[in-house]
């Protein structure tokens, strides 16, 4: 028995030509063992008959049985000839069929497997006897599987098994996602933007675009000769990128399609080498845990997957959270991943944090260099939820519960319906993840935190925790240098201190709006003083507190700004309250004044800083 794991750098992997040679050269009783090996892992409960045993005497070399009754459901007769098919060998095949008709048990399927090619005249001699077997009631179906037909049958079985595995794999990951993060059933008409045009219903729109391409493509265009749609869903943290990809998958499957959904955090290193490595990594992803099979079966599955993806009109690849993969900071590795996608010729929908996209935009637009002047990805930007969508979310949340809504939830929903939530919660409810957190608190009849300065503290700490956990992979990702050195809890506290200093420096310079930025060098200095040296500044940007803001006009350094002015104001106020520094109306705005007053009041009554 063998598992996946061979290197894509190694010698050529065996394909169907090699498999045909193996079957052709396996003769006599050895063919029975090979057939069992080839079917193991593709169909369940396959067994070889004991030589001169009861089944062998009934004309059955290999069988499949019913688990509940032990009855034979499939009977297989194997003919492993050394020489090319002759009249004598055709007669031997007919004799086996007639023998099974006389003494064999009724079965659903009867296969006569021959290790050589049979021409049409020979098939015309054998097939009427198989028809007679069906007419007699001994078999519901009867097949003559010569060399080519048997290999084709293996490919059909492998294709069906791969489709089942892909569906089961995504279902497992979806169940884990729903259990951990999804609060209500996905709302389909969320807003997004594509090429500057505001739209709704991203899942439906994406699938229509892919279907339109696949319906029009010429049958001879396969693999890298194709140029299928590739969409990159982008948004900041908490906007529902993973939910959108699962919605795309469900719509695609509902239209009789097949989906491979893989969190980027789970892609193996082989995926970042070439197309063969990507195929192997995808197979590893959908393969059930602990599954093993003979090496021949692995070759069959791998080759079937590669060829099926390259020419299919039914498969769609979804890679969730590119910012969470092991090699997001390595342009060469990412380019190899895009090259593998191109080689497979498969439509792709991926997702990424907007912060990383903005910092490395050229790498994603160029792909593997074979995009022929067009961007590798079409960008789909998920947007803030409007008030009606927020209210629909709360309606569905209420409908999903098993008890009447408590008073706190009613007050929260009324606040949303009146439009007054902005003054209490800012724009936090416009992100579905944190809207769910507020709804959860309210349903427990625990009044959602109405003091914005405390809510931001809770929000930011929860966010820093979730930043380390892949929504799609149910795993810790991006542990980061600071977390490795300091531990996750201390990392969060140090980052808050660092952001205080960044915000205060921007505010002290009297900068507003587009000018409110800090250089990468200065950001590194602050991080070094408060926490530790950070090799990749993207590690900080992926916390979604800071966003890239272009490059300096003279230094050409990368510049950063706060994702929201309210974030900057909160961090400034926290530093003032912590240091006991007076509010300065020349530097600080009214929002800072309000935050400082509330934080100072908390401290005066024995409370702690948020």
């Amino acid at each position: 028995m063998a598992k996946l794991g061979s290197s894509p750098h190694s010698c050529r992997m065996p394909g169907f030509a090699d498999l045909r040679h193996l079957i052709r050269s396996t003769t006599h009783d050895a063919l029975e063992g090979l057939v069992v090996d080839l079917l193991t892992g593709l169909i369940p409960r396959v067994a070889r008959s004991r030589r001169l045993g009861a089944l062998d005497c009934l004309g059955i070399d290999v069988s499949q049985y019913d688990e509940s009754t032990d009855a034979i459901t499939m009977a297989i007769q194997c003919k492993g000839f050394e020489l090319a098919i002759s009249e004598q060998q055709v007669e031997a095949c007919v004799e086996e069929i007639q023998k099974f008709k006389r003494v064999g048990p009724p079965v659903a399927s009867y296969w006569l497997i021959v290790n050589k090619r049979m021409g049409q005249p020979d098939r015309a001699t054998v097939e009427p006897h198989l028809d007679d077997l069906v007419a007699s009631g001994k078999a519901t179906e009867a097949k003559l599987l010569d060399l080519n037909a048997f290999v084709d049958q293996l490919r059909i079985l492998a294709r069906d098994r791969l489709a089942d595995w892909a569906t089961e794999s995504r279902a497992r990951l979806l169940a884990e996602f729903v259990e951990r993060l999804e609060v209500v059933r996905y709302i389909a008409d969320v807003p997004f933007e594509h090429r500057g045009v505001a739209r709704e219903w991203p899942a439906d729109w994406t699938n229509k675009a892919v279907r339109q391409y696949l319906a029009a493509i010429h049958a001879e265009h396969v693999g890298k000769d194709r140029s299928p749609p590739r969409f990159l869903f982008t948004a900041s943290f908490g906007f529902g990128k993973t939910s959108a990809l699962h919605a795309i998958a469900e719509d695609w499957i509902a239209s009789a399609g097949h989906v491979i959904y893989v969190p980027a955090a789970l892609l193996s290193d082989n995926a970042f080498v070439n197309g063969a490595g990507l195929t192997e990594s995808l197979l590893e992803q959908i393969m059930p845990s602990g599954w093993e099979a003979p090496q021949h079966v692995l070759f069959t599955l791998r080759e079937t997957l590669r060829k099926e993806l390259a020419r299919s009109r039914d498969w769609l690849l979804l890679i969730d959270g590119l910012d969470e993969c092991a090699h997001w900071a390595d342009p060469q590795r990412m380019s190899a991943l895009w090259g593998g996608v191109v080689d497979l010729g498969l439509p792709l929908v991926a997702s990424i944090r907007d912060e990383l996209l903005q910092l490395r935009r050229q790498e994603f637009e160029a792909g593997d260099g074979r995009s022929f002047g067009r961007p590798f990805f079409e960008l789909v930007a998920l947007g803030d939820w409007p008030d009606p969508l927020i209210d629909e979310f709360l309606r569905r949340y209420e409908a999903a519960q098993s008890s009447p809504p408590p008073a706190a939830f009613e007050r929260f929903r009324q606040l949303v319906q009146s439009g007054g939530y902005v003054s209490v919660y800012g724009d936090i409810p416009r992100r579905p993840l944190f809207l769910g957190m507020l709804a959860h608190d309210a349903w427990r009849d625990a009044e959602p935190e109405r003091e914005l300065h405390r809510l931001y503290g809770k929000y930011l700490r929860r966010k820093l925790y979730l930043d380390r956990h892949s929504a799609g992979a149910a795993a810790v990702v991006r542990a980061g240098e600071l977390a490795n050195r300091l531990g996750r809890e201390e990392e969060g506290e140090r980052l808050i201190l660092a952001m205080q200093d960044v915000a205060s420096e921007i505010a002290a310079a009297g900068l507003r709006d587009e000018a409110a930025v800090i250089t990468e060098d200065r950001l590194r200095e602050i991080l070094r003083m408060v926490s530790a040296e950070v090799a990749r500044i993207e590690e900080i940007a992926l916390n979604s507190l800071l966003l890239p803001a272009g490059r300096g006009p003279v230094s050409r350094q990368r510049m950063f700004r706060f994702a929201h002015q309210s974030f900057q104001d909160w961090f400034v106020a926290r530093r003032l309250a912590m240091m006991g520094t007076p509010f300065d109306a020349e530097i600080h705005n009214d929002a800072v004044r309000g935050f400082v007053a509330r934080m100072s009041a908390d401290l005066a009554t024995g409370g702690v800083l948020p």
Side-chain angles (χ1 to χ4, degrees), residues 7 38 48 59 73 118 149 239 325 378 531 539 598:
S7 169
L38 291 172
R48 182 179 182 180
T73 57
M118 295 188 74
F239 273 99
C325 73
E378 293 272 352
S531 53
E539 181 181 328
R598 290 175 175 82

Side-chain angles (χ1 to χ4, degrees), residues 243-287:
S243 294
L245 261 64
H246 277 299
I248 290 170
E250 290 190 356
D251 286 356
W252 190 264
I253 292 170
S255 300
H258 306 299
V259 164
I260 295 180
Y261 170 87
V262 53
L266 300 183
L267 285 172
S268 69
D269 284 347
N270 284 342
F272 301 87
V273 176
N274 52 30
L278 177 58
T279 301
E280 182 168 317
S281 183
L282 296 177
L283 182 54
E284 289 173 348
Q285 172 60 31
I286 65 175
M287 187 180 295

